[in-house]
Amino acid sequence: MNGILYGVGVGPGAPDLMTLRAVEVLQKVDVILAAASPRNEHSAALAIARPHLRPQARVERLDFPMTRDAHARQVAWSAAAQTTRSILESGHSAAFLTVGDPLIYSTFGYLMRTLQAMAPHIEIEIVPGITSYQAAAARARAVLCEDSESLLVLPGINSREQLEIALQHTESAVILKAYRNLPAIAAAMAGSGRLEGCIFASLVERPGEVIRVGIPDDEATPAYMSLILSRNGRNT
């Protein structure tokens, strides 16, 4: 009998922001799958979930390179899916850990699609998690949207032009991955009239957390886990 693959969202950073369902899954699976960069063995998701893992649970690392090279990414996804398939077909259930939610800018989506194509008989279940922007809004006491307002989630890796056009057509916006491309993001925010009053958040619910009004203008690159909240140019 095959095991079940669980995609588990572990939340933004604090172990006590994991859901009861996520903890329940971690208490029963045989294997924990942790995504990490080949250049760095650290897994943020594993660090968050560790207090809830069974002592006897086996941890298996899956390499996901941070690259836009389509071939390199496909090779990594196929290797991760094959490793996962072998574990599940041996009768062991596994939980793939992902920061935030498994279906929002997560490596789990790539693994799920590749595994489904490779082994459609494998059962997959998804446990949603609290996102970083929900946690940031809570920490800042900032309303994300209300009444008839829309909420747009954008990747900060887009160009200034792409971001500015998108920002002009929504009342409330979240920009994730706001780190290396911060100057372009700031220019897009200014061009769309949203720079004043926006909220910058980094390492939410983690050591070194930063939550402030306005985008940092120093030359230091912020942490990878950084984001921006903007609601009609306001911060509440």
Side-chain angles (χ1 to χ4, degrees):
M1 184 176 180
N2 297 319
I4 299 173
L5 173 63
Y6 296 90
V8 179
V10 300
D16 63 352
L17 281 181
M18 289 177 57
T19 66
L20 294 175
R21 185 177 299 180
V23 173
E24 180 183 351
V25 167
L26 297 185
Q27 289 293 312
K28 70 181 181 181
V29 296
D30 307 299
V31 181
I32 302 297
L33 300 174
S37 168
R39 299 180 181 179
N40 185 350
E41 293 187 1
H42 175 71
S43 167
L46 179 60
I48 296 168
R50 195 172 288 283
H52 301 296
L53 302 185
R54 293 191 303 155
Q56 65 271 35
R58 182 174 117 223
V59 177
E60 189 82 30
R61 169 185 160 146
L62 299 178
D63 287 339
F64 286 88
M66 296 181 68
T67 176
R68 294 194 182 187
D69 185 309
H71 176 70
R73 292 169 62 170
Q74 189 60 59
V75 169
W77 300 338
S78 296
Q82 186 56 60
T83 297
T84 303
R85 177 182 183 177
S86 298
I87 291 169
L88 301 173
E89 289 185 341
S90 69
H92 298 295
S93 289
F96 182 94
L97 308 179
T98 177
V99 175
D101 183 88
L103 302 180
I104 299 178
Y105 295 125
S106 166
T107 51
F108 178 73
Y110 305 125
L111 175 64
M112 179 175 66
R113 288 193 297 270
T114 306
L115 183 61
Q116 286 176 322
M118 181 184 294
H121 58 282
I122 294 295
E123 184 178 353
I124 300 174
E125 295 186 18
I126 299 172
V127 180
I130 296 172
T131 65
S132 58
Y133 59 87
Q134 289 174 297
R139 298 287 279 174
R141 298 185 299 280
V143 175
L144 285 174
C145 53
E146 58 190 352
D147 198 16
S148 61
E149 294 175 338
S150 59
L151 173 64
L152 181 63
V153 180
L154 295 165
I157 61 175
N158 284 358
S159 69
R160 180 194 65 76
E161 292 79 7
Q162 290 172 315
L163 290 168
E164 186 171 332
I165 291 171
L167 289 169
Q168 289 172 345
H169 294 86
T170 187
E171 292 85 9
S172 190
V174 171
I175 301 179
L176 301 178
K177 306 179 183 179
Y179 57 113
R180 292 182 183 173
N181 203 30
L182 200 57
I185 294 172
M189 295 287 289
S192 58
R194 289 176 171 270
L195 190 58
E196 184 177 354
C198 69
I199 294 175
F200 174 85
S202 180
L203 298 172
V204 180
E205 292 286 348
R206 303 181 190 209
E209 176 186 85
V210 174
I211 296 180
R212 53 164 288 175
V213 176
I215 298 176
D217 57 4
D218 54 46
E219 296 182 359
T221 301
Y224 172 70
M225 297 293 182
S226 296
L227 60 92
I228 295 169
L229 308 176
S230 173
R231 178 172 170 246
N232 289 328
R234 298 174 292 174
N235 61 10
T236 57

